[in-house]
Amino acid sequence: MGRSGRAFVDLDGLTIYPIFDTKPTALKRKTGEFTNLLAASRSRQLKSGLVELVGELASRLRKHLMNDCSWEDLEEYILNTTSFWEETNSSTAIPWYSRAAEGANEDNKKEGDEHNEEDDGQEITGTQLLDDLDMAIFASVEQLDCAPENVAEELDAVLSSSLWRRHIEREQSSLQGALDALLKNRALWLWEKTNTEQRRAFFSAGVGYNAGSLLDANIAALAEKLELADATLAGGDIEAAIENILYLTRFFMQVPTFSTSTKERPDKWETVVGDWVRGTALGSMVDKHGDRCIRFIQDGIVYRMVWAVEAVRAHAVTYDKKFAKVLSGHTARTLTYGVPSLQAALLLQGGLPSRNMALRLLADMPGDFSNADGLKDWLARISPIVSAQGYWEDPGERVIWNEYQKDLHREVNLEWHYTEESLEVEWVNDSLVPELSTPLRLIREPTGSNLLVCSPDLHVIGRVRSNWPRHLESDCISARTDSSGHIIAECFGPRRL
């Protein structure tokens, strides 16, 4: 599936969907898929995510004030105070931005824009909205050390020709002013609440003010526990490492940015964290904790907890460069791959898709490597043993290992060169052999191993005889006839032995 035409110029009417299957049922099905895709694309609009974000917050604030005030009144209110960011609902004591406004963003919606968060079965919380807005502001303002009174000007300069600016200019003028005022107001509030070092720390950690301020207040204790977790994992004391990791996990379960909802957590989620770090087989964990543990591992551990511990590391390094040496990243790697040792994590990072296989290999043939080069040397030593018949009793594991070996031996990071190959051709019609230097195309036959010689308009006029170099399929950039009736293929690709 692709698009043809000039980038940023030919945007409509040039969509190409190649269909190689000529069977009537398959052709009908794929043609239907393409028709549905085109219909769906016409119902979507390219919208600024920042406009959507600020518009949702503006709608919630509007509902909070004066029983759904006008956009003009909202703009006037925003321009005169920043205190509303800390206001709560008088009856529930819940922040106004955490209360979804009925009919939120109705004034922002365009006809045909049918997609929203509810379509995905998930509601974006107010905390998520603010975190996303804060991160967008920190990422947009290059001069994080600018004075609060200058931050609005910095935002204007950055967003002057952005999709945000083009989008709000199409809105009614009253809405334009309210959205622009709310964005700048939040930036001013952030600058008044933080110093330059904090803003840099929040930006490095990829968090907004709510999560960043909690990190800031607890960074010494969090960095200490993370350092202990890294050290105990490196020393092989898995149970001590789990205790330190659980300390961090319990803390981050109280931070909305990094926590999962209680209904998504298994009843014994702390046990799931410990089992994941130990490298317990996933099937065994599902038998013990149910299917919810899979979602919790994917979202709560591999995504949110890894983000959280890396946020601690980035935050700590921003304040004190010594943490760049003592925080090794071992904990994040363990939480990502679900194995306790660096060596097993490197095996999985290198493409081996089975945690059980990685742990078994290292139990049978321990290695002390700590980087990709060391892993490569270790694999070269053990491969004859592991590849021998009988090592893998499970046929599936044997297939996985063989595929892993193939991937390892693929040539990567080689220097590229221009080369020419002279190829003997069997022409379809000897009386129609192309003239000298005629440009040609080389295309592999879809259902076979023949390399077809085609005219520029893709008519087949010959076939390359057997034993053609396999790199031609990927590296050939042009071909032409020569005086002997052969063709010369010009290639550009990695030099091969």
Side-chain angles (χ1 to χ4, degrees):
M1 184 64 212
R3 177 193 65 78
S4 64
R6 296 163 293 171
F8 308 111
V9 178
D10 296 320
L11 300 178
D12 299 307
L14 291 168
T15 308
I16 296 175
Y17 185 48
I19 300 176
F20 299 104
D21 200 329
T22 57
K23 294 180 181 178
T25 54
L27 185 61
K28 182 178 180 180
R29 175 174 56 81
K30 292 186 176 182
T31 303
E33 289 174 355
F34 184 52
T35 302
N36 292 337
L37 181 65
L38 289 178
S41 70
R42 284 191 289 270
S43 70
R44 306 283 182 180
Q45 294 190 17
L46 183 62
K47 303 187 76 173
S48 164
L50 190 56
V51 169
E52 296 275 283
L53 187 58
V54 177
E56 175 63 24
L57 284 167
S59 292
R60 294 189 184 195
L61 179 59
R62 191 177 172 212
K63 288 288 183 182
H64 172 66
L65 298 170
M66 296 176 284
N67 194 22
D68 211 2
C69 62
S70 68
W71 289 114
E72 291 86 350
D73 290 339
L74 180 65
E75 180 183 0
E76 184 68 24
Y77 177 80
I78 292 170
L79 290 172
N80 285 287
T81 182
T82 59
S83 63
F84 60 86
W85 294 110
E86 299 164 57
E87 289 182 8
T88 59
N89 182 286
S90 57
S91 59
T92 63
I94 296 174
W96 59 266
Y97 51 79
S98 292
R99 181 173 55 85
E102 294 179 12
N105 226 13
E106 288 296 329
D107 301 85
N108 256 359
K109 292 185 183 295
K110 300 293 185 183
E111 183 179 352
D113 181 19
E114 300 171 355
H115 183 76
N116 53 45
E117 290 79 15
E118 286 72 22
D119 292 341
D120 299 325
Q122 296 179 348
E123 182 184 347
I124 302 300
T125 67
T127 302
Q128 285 176 287
L129 289 172
L130 278 190
D131 279 346
D132 289 345
L133 180 57
D134 292 349
M135 286 186 278
I137 292 170
F138 289 138
S140 298
V141 179
E142 187 174 344
Q143 302 298 328
L144 292 174
D145 58 350
C146 71
E149 58 269 21
N150 295 330
V151 67
E153 185 179 336
E154 289 283 337
L155 270 177
D156 270 338
V158 170
L159 299 175
S160 60
S161 58
S162 66
L163 183 58
W164 152 271
R165 181 59 57 195
R166 296 198 298 274
H167 191 143
I168 67 170
E169 285 176 353
R170 295 197 299 269
E171 302 289 354
Q172 53 183 301
S173 58
S174 58
L175 180 57
Q176 286 183 36
L179 297 185
D180 196 54
L182 189 64
L183 175 64
K184 292 174 181 176
N185 189 291
R186 182 62 182 182
L188 176 60
W189 185 89
L190 287 172
W191 256 246
E192 290 178 339
K193 288 287 183 179
T194 60
N195 57 43
T196 299
E197 196 172 47
Q198 286 174 315
R199 291 192 286 273
R200 285 175 176 155
F202 295 176
F203 172 68
S204 297
V207 295
Y209 178 82
N210 290 327
S213 58
L214 286 171
L215 282 177
D216 210 54
N218 297 276
I219 193 61
L222 294 172
E224 179 185 0
K225 287 295 183 181
L226 182 55
E227 182 181 351
L228 286 171
D230 284 348
T232 47
L233 283 169
D237 191 347
I238 308 306
E239 296 308 312
I242 289 172
E243 283 302 312
N244 289 305
I245 289 171
L246 284 175
Y247 174 93
L248 293 167
T249 308
R250 292 185 196 106
F251 175 85
F252 286 115
M253 284 299 169
Q254 309 305 312
V255 182
T257 301
F258 303 121
S259 68
T260 57
S261 67
T262 53
K263 68 180 181 181
E264 292 180 345
R265 297 177 210 162
D267 294 334
K268 298 182 178 179
W269 63 267
E270 293 186 9
T271 305
V272 173
V273 173
D275 287 346
W276 179 251
V277 171
R278 292 184 189 95
T280 304
L282 193 58
S284 174
M285 294 171 67
V286 172
D287 291 341
K288 188 189 303 185
H289 304 286
D291 291 341
R292 269 199 302 178
C293 79
I294 297 177
R295 175 64 185 268
F296 177 69
I297 288 169
Q298 292 174 336
D299 183 54
I301 300 177
V302 176
Y303 171 49
R304 295 184 186 276
M305 273 306 299
V306 171
W307 177 16
V309 297
E310 285 295 89
V312 171
R313 185 158 70 120
H315 202 101
V317 169
T318 301
Y319 282 126
D320 192 337
K321 300 302 180 187
K322 76 172 186 180
F323 284 112
K325 295 181 179 179
V326 299
L327 298 179
S328 64
H330 199 151
T331 301
R333 195 179 285 112
T334 287
L335 292 172
T336 298
Y337 295 105
V339 287
S341 73
L342 170 63
Q343 291 75 27
L346 287 172
L347 262 172
L348 295 166
Q349 186 176 326
L352 185 65
S354 168
R355 295 159 63 235
N356 293 340
M357 290 173 64
L359 293 171
R360 179 187 167 185
L361 286 169
L362 287 161
D364 291 347
M365 291 157 282
D368 61 354
F369 51 90
S370 59
N371 53 42
D373 289 336
L375 170 63
K376 195 173 182 180
D377 294 340
W378 179 76
L379 285 170
R381 293 197 303 271
I382 71 161
S383 286
I385 301 171
V386 179
S387 300
Q389 192 71 23
Y391 183 83
W392 300 112
E393 297 177 1
D394 186 318
E397 291 182 335
R398 187 162 54 250
V399 170
I400 290 173
W401 176 256
N402 290 338
E403 288 299 316
Y404 177 61
Q405 287 288 290
K406 287 180 184 177
D407 289 342
L408 284 176
H409 291 96
R410 283 183 182 154
E411 297 160 316
V412 296
N413 299 327
L414 300 179
E415 186 177 354
W416 284 38
H417 295 272
Y418 283 100
T419 57
E420 288 188 348
E421 301 280 354
S422 178
L423 305 171
E424 188 177 356
V425 180
E426 179 183 340
W427 300 104
V428 173
N429 189 332
D430 289 336
S431 63
L432 297 177
V433 175
E435 296 179 358
L436 180 66
S437 299
T438 299
L440 303 168
R441 300 280 301 275
L442 300 181
I443 300 174
R444 183 172 180 172
E445 193 173 30
T447 58
S449 59
N450 291 321
L451 190 64
L452 304 178
V453 181
C454 302
S455 62
D457 56 357
L458 298 182
H459 285 94
V460 177
I461 57 176
R463 290 175 177 81
V464 174
R465 296 190 186 276
S466 59
N467 299 323
W468 51 274
R470 295 298 161 181
H471 68 267
L472 282 177
E473 186 179 355
S474 58
D475 296 355
C476 182
I477 57 174
S478 68
R480 65 185 187 279
T481 54
D482 70 0
S483 57
S484 66
H486 290 55
I487 63 173
I488 303 298
E490 185 179 356
C491 304
F492 181 61
R495 174 171 288 178
R496 296 171 171 83
L497 298 178

